[in-house]
């Protein structure tokens, strides 16, 4: 799969390679109303990664349903809509509006968003608020729901167990890690909104650790994400217990990265004489 926010609505990449060959496309985080996002600068390169503070710039759910979904409905590749809100009601309303829309195959719930009714703490930081969002979304839609966890919490396995209990059909992880960069000449934070989210190869060992932890704690499928750039990276996540993977930041340097990773996995399987990928899921777990 592609990781949300790094592959637009799929259409932006469709002239570069055959996106229909991918397992799924996860679109940019979608909110009830259109958003312009955070002030510039919003992206800064770091050693082995990227800091971003896009601030959920998106066209809003109404435009998504009217302008994007009809095209997705004609695609072979399933499209998963990533949703984001500031209140539990936002999430359930979004899920309700997307329910039954042709071209939308599933919902990925981004719980790395600040809960404005609870002092701005991320929904995903606590098992309780993460479960509350999951329950609300599940009640509002018949679509399968993936809940996407934040690494910015003290015990990610506890959050995972809570959202699985609340009805998540799958769990994706991880979202970005909080970070800051300083412009030493200006003596100011480099990003317009001060802090941002770190992604890319720099976070891979953290993501892999969290996938290992979560896969050992829940029965639902786990989707690994964080710094996956090559097929070998992806296979590490699968061996740690992921049933599927997402490619994000790697697409910025190589737009074909999601398909390269997929083809690389197939090559590895052929070389190793493995016919069924499920044989590899969690194989490295002790
Ligand atoms: C520019 C950018 C925008 C992102 N936007 C979203 C988003 O809208 N919703 C979301 O759940 N995750 C978003 N993410 C997080 C990614 O989907 C992914 O979880 C994270 O970047 C780690 O994977 P990676 O290292 O392969 O990029 C974004 C990441 C980047 C770099």
């Amino acid at each position: 799969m592609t990781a949300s926010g790094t592959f637009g609505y799929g259409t932006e990449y469709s002239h570069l390679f055959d996106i229909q060959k991918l397992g799924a496309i996860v679109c940019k985080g979608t909110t009830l109303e259109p958003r312009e996002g955070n002030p510039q600068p919003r992206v800064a390169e770091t050693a082995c990664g990227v800091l971003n503070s896009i601030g959920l710039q998106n066209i809003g759910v109404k435009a998504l349903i009217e302008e994007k979904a009809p095209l997705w409905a004609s695609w072979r590749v399933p499209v998963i809509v990533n949703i984001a809100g500031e209140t539990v009601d936002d999430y359930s309303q979004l899920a309700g509006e997307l329910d039954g829309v042709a071209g939308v195959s599933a919902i990925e719930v981004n719980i790395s968003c600040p809960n404005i009714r609870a002092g701005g703490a991320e929904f995903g930081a606590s098992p309780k608020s993460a479960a509350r969002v999951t329950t609300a979304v599940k009640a509002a839609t018949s679509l399968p729901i993936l809940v996407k966890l934040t690494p910015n919490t003290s015990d990610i396995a506890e959050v995972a167990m809570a959202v699985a209990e609340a009805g998540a059909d799958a769990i994706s992880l991880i979202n970005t890690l909080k970070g800051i960069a300083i412009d030493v000449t200006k003596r100011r934070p480099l990003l317009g909104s001060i802090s941002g989210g770190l992604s890319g190869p720099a976070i891979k060992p953290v993501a892999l650790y969290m996938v290992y932890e979560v896969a050992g704690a829940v029965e639902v499928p786990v989707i690994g994400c964080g710094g996956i750039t090559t097929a070998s990276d992806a296979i590490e996540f699968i061996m740690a217990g992921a049933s599927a993977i997402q490619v994000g930041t790697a697409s910025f340097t190589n737009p074909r990265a999601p398909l390269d990773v997929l083809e690389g996995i197939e090559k590895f399987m052929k070389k190793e004489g493995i016919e069924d990928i499920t044989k590899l899921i969690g194989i490295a777990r002790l």
Side-chain angles (χ1 to χ4, degrees), residues 3-6 28-29 50 52 54 56 82 108 110 148 174-176 199-200 203 225-228 246-250 252:
S4 176
T6 63
K28 175 65 194 162
V50 165
N52 92 81
I54 305 298
L56 290 172
N82 180 285
E108 182 178 64
N110 174 9
K148 182 169 177 182
I174 59 175
N175 213 311
T176 54
S199 63
I203 71 167
C225 174
I228 297 174
Q246 296 180 347
V247 175
T249 300
F252 297 158

Side-chain angles (χ1 to χ4, degrees), residues 83-108:
I83 60 168
E86 293 177 334
T87 65
V88 174
D89 283 350
D90 287 356
Y91 284 100
S92 72
Q93 208 177 316
L94 279 159
E97 291 195 24
L98 291 165
D99 191 42
V101 173
V104 178
S105 294
I107 293 175
E108 182 178 64

